[in-house]
């Protein structure tokens, strides 16, 4: 429990809530219990309903809160508050992972990717989708594969291209970026190189750079490649690897209203897939003397890390199932899911520290374990924080009673319908 309260100290949760205006003057709402109810309620619930989060809160805090009192606190300000907590957690949580020795020379191995979250169609104006009569949000993550944590996150509508959410800059120095085709852009690669960063990307199908030199000599009657367009020679090659230097042309960013053309030289590597009788092609600025073609193909497999992360969010935390038409509630649930993931990974770090060195904890198996114990953890955390929730029977009565007096339950409807017949 001390690990969790060190990650999110109660005083910090309270002070920041007051600073943003999440807490009102009456102080009835206990912010630490409120936050932890969202974290563990999201992890434990079979369905992530607002009523479920309220029940988690009522089972933890000193005083229960009514449905109306709970729902009125689900505001855009709360969404902003939870996002700030996610940003705080990103700076604190890192689960060390054994990175291959070939890439330990980099400060970090980073993976950029995005996933689409399908939303209620009533949100189509706020979250425009690619198809009519749909709504979709895009979650963009910058995943640190070295430390197994999320470095940056952004949300946008589904139509926003992944590429526009990635910003270059000095932060790239000595970091290796792994890109899928959504981020393929020569100017982006040039800026990474000029910021002393590194990249590996799949080569787009329509990319056809000019080969300026071969980085490996072939014996015998090998087909010369220098001076030819890459796509013009691929079908004629039968070698296991392609390793060439290429020149690409691209437009620089606008300056004084104009865009100038520029060229840059990169490396293209091909690894033959015998089953498909084709090449997996990659573009990079990594030097051949340090990374052979097979090394690059192996490094690129690290991209699977972010796919597993999205799969964990969607399968374990049901991140793609938002049954609400309120924009700010969508954001609240999104940040609650990310907080659950961060807390889960922080506890995984603790478990890894305490366990024998030879033990391995697959992340998805750990996620399922964390979910199954979330209610127990929340109960112990409440006791650790000094909360004394109402007796269990009182909470059962509070949660199970009919809320809407004007809405008849089935028995009342049947009684009202059959009573005139009986009297007749």
């Amino acid at each position: 429990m001390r690990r969790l309260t060190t990650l999110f100290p109660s005083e910090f949760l309270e002070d920041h809530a007051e600073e943003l205006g999440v807490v009102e003057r009456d102080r009835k709402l206990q912010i630490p219990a409120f936050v932890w109810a969202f974290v563990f309620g999201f992890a434990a619930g079979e369905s992530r309903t607002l009523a479920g989060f309220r029940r988690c809160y009522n089972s933890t805090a000193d005083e229960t809160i009514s449905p109306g009192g709970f729902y009125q606190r689900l505001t855009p300000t709360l969404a902003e508050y939870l996002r700030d907590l996610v940003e705080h957690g990103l700076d604190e949580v890192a689960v060390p992972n054994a990175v291959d020795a070939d890439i330990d020379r980099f400060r970090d191995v980073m993976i950029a990717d995005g996933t689409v979250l399908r939303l209620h169609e009533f949100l189509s104006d706020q979250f425009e989708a690619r198809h009519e009569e749909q709504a979709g949000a895009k979650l963009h993550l910058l995943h640190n594969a070295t430390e197994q944590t999320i470095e940056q996150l952004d949300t946008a509508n589904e139509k926003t291209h992944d590429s526009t959410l990635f910003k270059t800059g000095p932060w790239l120095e000595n970091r290796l970026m792994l890109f899928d085709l959504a981020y393929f852009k020569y100017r982006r690669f040039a800026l990474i190189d000029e910021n002393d960063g590194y990249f590996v990307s799949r080569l787009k199908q329509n990319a056809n750079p000019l080969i300026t030199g071969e980085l490996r000599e072939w014996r015998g009657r090998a087909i010369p490649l220098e001076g030819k367009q890459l796509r013009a020679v691929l079908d004629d090659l039968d070698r296991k690897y392609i390793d060439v230097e290429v020149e690409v042309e691209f437009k620089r960013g606008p300056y004084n209203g104009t865009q100038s053309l520029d060229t840059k030289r990169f490396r293209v590597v091909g690894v033959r897939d015998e089953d498909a009788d084709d090449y997996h092609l990659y573009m990079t600025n990594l030097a051949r003397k340090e990374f052979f073609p097979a090394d690059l193909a192996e490094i690129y497999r690290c991209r699977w890390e972010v796919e597993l992360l999205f799969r964990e969010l969607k399968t374990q935390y049901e991140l793609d199932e938002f049954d609400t038409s309120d924009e700010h509630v969508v954001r609240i649930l999104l940040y609650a899911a990310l907080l659950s993931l961060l807390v889960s990974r922080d506890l995984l770090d603790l478990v890894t520290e305490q366990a024998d060195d030879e033990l391995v904890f697959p992340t998805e198996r750990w996620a399922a374990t964390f979910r199954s114990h979330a209610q127990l953890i929340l109960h112990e955390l409440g006791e650790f924080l000094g909360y004394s929730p109402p007796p269990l029977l009182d909470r059962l009565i509070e949660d199970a009673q009919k809320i809407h007096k004007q809405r008849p339950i089935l028995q009342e409807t049947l009684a009202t319908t059959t009573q005139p017949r009986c009297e007749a």
Side-chain angles (χ1 to χ4, degrees), residues 57 98 133 153 240 351:
Y57 175 83
E133 299 181 356
L153 69 96
K240 187 174 182 179
V351 168

Side-chain angles (χ1 to χ4, degrees), residues 180-410:
D180 71 1
L181 296 178
Y183 299 86
F184 189 92
K185 200 171 188 179
Y186 294 142
R187 181 160 68 94
R188 173 171 295 111
F189 299 157
L191 289 172
I192 292 173
D193 188 67
E194 290 158 9
N195 278 285
D196 297 320
Y198 302 91
F199 71 91
V200 178
S201 170
R202 288 293 297 267
L203 192 71
K204 260 192 173 179
Q205 189 66 34
N206 61 355
N208 192 21
L210 176 69
I211 299 172
T212 56
E214 296 193 57
L215 301 177
R216 173 177 175 174
E217 293 184 3
W218 294 88
R219 298 177 182 177
R221 301 176 61 184
I223 300 173
L225 304 181
E226 186 173 345
K228 299 178 181 178
Q229 301 295 138
L230 177 67
R231 300 290 176 184
V233 296
L234 279 181
D235 292 341
D236 298 327
L237 299 178
D238 196 35
R239 59 188 69 171
K240 187 174 182 179
Y241 300 115
I242 301 170
D243 200 351
V244 296
E245 180 188 67
V246 300
E247 184 175 86
V248 300
E249 185 179 74
F250 61 96
K251 288 183 179 180
R252 287 285 180 182
Y255 182 75
N256 287 339
T258 61
Q259 282 187 299
S260 60
L261 286 175
D262 202 352
T263 59
K264 194 86 172 176
R265 293 193 175 187
F266 295 121
R267 180 184 174 199
V268 168
V269 165
V271 178
R272 191 165 191 84
D273 180 354
E274 297 297 342
D275 293 334
D277 193 25
D278 200 359
Y279 287 97
H280 293 300
L281 296 168
Y282 308 93
M283 179 168 280
T284 184
N285 62 342
L286 295 176
R288 176 180 168 78
K289 63 182 179 181
E290 296 181 76
F291 297 95
F292 291 140
D295 297 328
L296 290 178
E298 188 65 31
I299 288 172
Y300 194 77
R301 290 195 183 98
C302 287
R303 269 200 51 79
W304 184 240
E305 289 282 341
V306 78
E307 301 297 340
L308 291 176
L309 183 64
F310 283 135
R311 190 168 76 180
E312 180 180 338
L313 283 168
K314 288 188 173 184
T315 58
Q316 297 295 334
Y317 301 102
E318 299 179 9
L319 190 61
D320 57 345
E321 297 182 15
F322 293 108
D323 188 20
T324 176
S325 57
D326 292 328
E327 178 183 359
H328 58 275
V329 173
V330 168
R331 297 188 187 278
I332 287 170
L333 296 178
L334 171 62
Y335 299 138
L338 293 174
L339 282 171
S340 296
L341 177 66
L342 287 170
V343 168
S344 169
R345 292 298 175 88
D346 196 42
L347 290 180
L348 173 57
D349 189 16
L350 176 63
V351 168
T352 305
E353 289 173 4
Q354 299 296 320
D356 295 336
D357 292 342
E358 66 272 13
L359 296 180
V360 177
F361 301 95
T363 53
E364 287 199 62
R365 184 176 179 83
W366 165 254
T369 303
F370 171 72
R371 281 196 60 198
S372 66
H373 291 79
Q375 288 285 10
L376 177 61
I377 298 171
L378 179 60
H379 177 72
E380 292 200 10
L381 180 59
E383 290 187 345
F384 182 82
L385 292 172
Y387 294 124
S388 300
L392 177 59
L393 182 59
D394 290 351
R395 284 188 277 124
L396 292 174
I397 293 172
E398 173 73 21
D399 288 338
Q401 65 180 284
K402 188 177 74 169
I403 298 172
H404 303 286
K405 289 185 170 55
Q406 72 279 16
R407 185 183 299 168
I409 59 177
L410 179 60

